Amino acid sequence: MSAITIRKLSENAIANIKRQAKSNGRSAEAEARLALEQRFAAAKPARTALEVIEEFKRRNGGGFDLPYMPRNTDPIEPAEFE
């Protein structure tokens, strides 16, 4: 089982966790664990960019072509700072 340490949690958040824990007959640690489990245990893992692209291709018949855009080759003037 993994463990995490949460630093710089506001005093208000800590007091609310302790208050909720007391009303539920649990320790503050158990209350915080339950809150995190309820929020994140069923969440889907983040997808990589490649997974998003593959899903886009599946949904849109393989993707799409962008129109050709020629590069602007004009020289860029340097910025002037005074």
Side-chain angles (χ1 to χ4, degrees):
M1 182 170 275
S2 298
I4 63 171
T5 301
I6 301 173
R7 293 181 181 85
K8 299 181 181 179
L9 194 58
S10 72
E11 292 298 321
N12 189 44
I14 293 169
N16 287 334
I17 291 169
K18 288 180 178 180
R19 188 178 309 109
Q20 187 76 26
K22 185 175 182 179
S23 70
N24 291 327
R26 290 190 274 266
S27 68
E29 179 183 346
E31 192 69 30
R33 182 184 312 111
L34 179 64
L36 290 169
E37 282 286 335
Q38 288 175 339
R39 172 61 177 89
F40 296 107
K44 294 179 181 178
R47 297 182 300 170
T48 66
L50 290 177
E51 290 170 333
V52 172
I53 291 168
E54 290 302 318
E55 181 178 341
F56 181 84
K57 286 180 180 178
R58 280 194 305 275
R59 291 184 180 192
N60 295 289
F64 61 93
D65 292 325
L66 294 173
Y68 174 73
M69 302 285 289
R71 288 181 63 174
N72 183 350
T73 57
D74 296 338
I76 298 173
E77 296 294 323
E80 293 185 22
F81 299 98
E82 299 184 49

